[in-house]
Amino acid sequence: MPDRRGPGPGRLDGDPGLHLAYLAADYKVQRRVRPLALIEALDAVSAGAFTALGFAGLIAGAARLQNVLPLGTFNQLSSGGLVPLLNAAVGLEVGSGVIVLLARFLDQAVEIAPPPDGGPYSPEAA
């Protein structure tokens, strides 16, 4: 069984449930239930968190991304130092980035597709 603790091959990032709303219903439903502003903010915050964790080593006088946290007890989450925090930041960044990317692709596809009645496209109708 693949390891699901960190981002890597075989991992499904993002929340497919938001995009399954598009497949199950239509774009209007998916657009209404998708908190895109919140997801974009999460994307930015997680990128900033990764950057801040990287600079923590520099601030402490060590190398970038070097562990500056105390090591805990063996086989405990706290024994990983910065690694679990970096994994969380990367996982949130990749997951929210995939959702934002798919949302933008769907927005563009709906804008490009002609309306079913042949009339001009109106963004308010979507």
Side-chain angles (χ1 to χ4, degrees), residues 31-59:
R31 190 171 176 185
R32 192 171 51 237
V33 300
R34 175 183 68 196
L36 193 56
L38 177 68
I39 296 170
E40 286 177 337
L42 179 65
D43 187 36
V45 167
S46 56
F50 184 83
T51 303
L53 289 170
F55 283 125
L58 295 175
I59 292 169

Side-chain angles (χ1 to χ4, degrees), residues 15-88:
D15 185 4
L18 292 175
H19 298 291
L20 288 176
Y22 173 72
L23 296 174
D26 63 356
Y27 180 71
K28 292 179 199 175
V29 171
Q30 192 253 357
R31 190 171 176 185
R32 192 171 51 237
V33 300
R34 175 183 68 196
L36 193 56
L38 177 68
I39 296 170
E40 286 177 337
L42 179 65
D43 187 36
V45 167
S46 56
F50 184 83
T51 303
L53 289 170
F55 283 125
L58 295 175
I59 292 169
R64 184 176 167 267
L65 289 175
Q66 184 174 343
N67 184 33
V68 293
L69 296 178
L71 297 178
T73 307
F74 177 72
N75 209 18
Q76 298 293 318
L77 184 61
S78 62
S79 69
L82 281 180
V83 173
L85 299 175
L86 289 169
N87 277 346

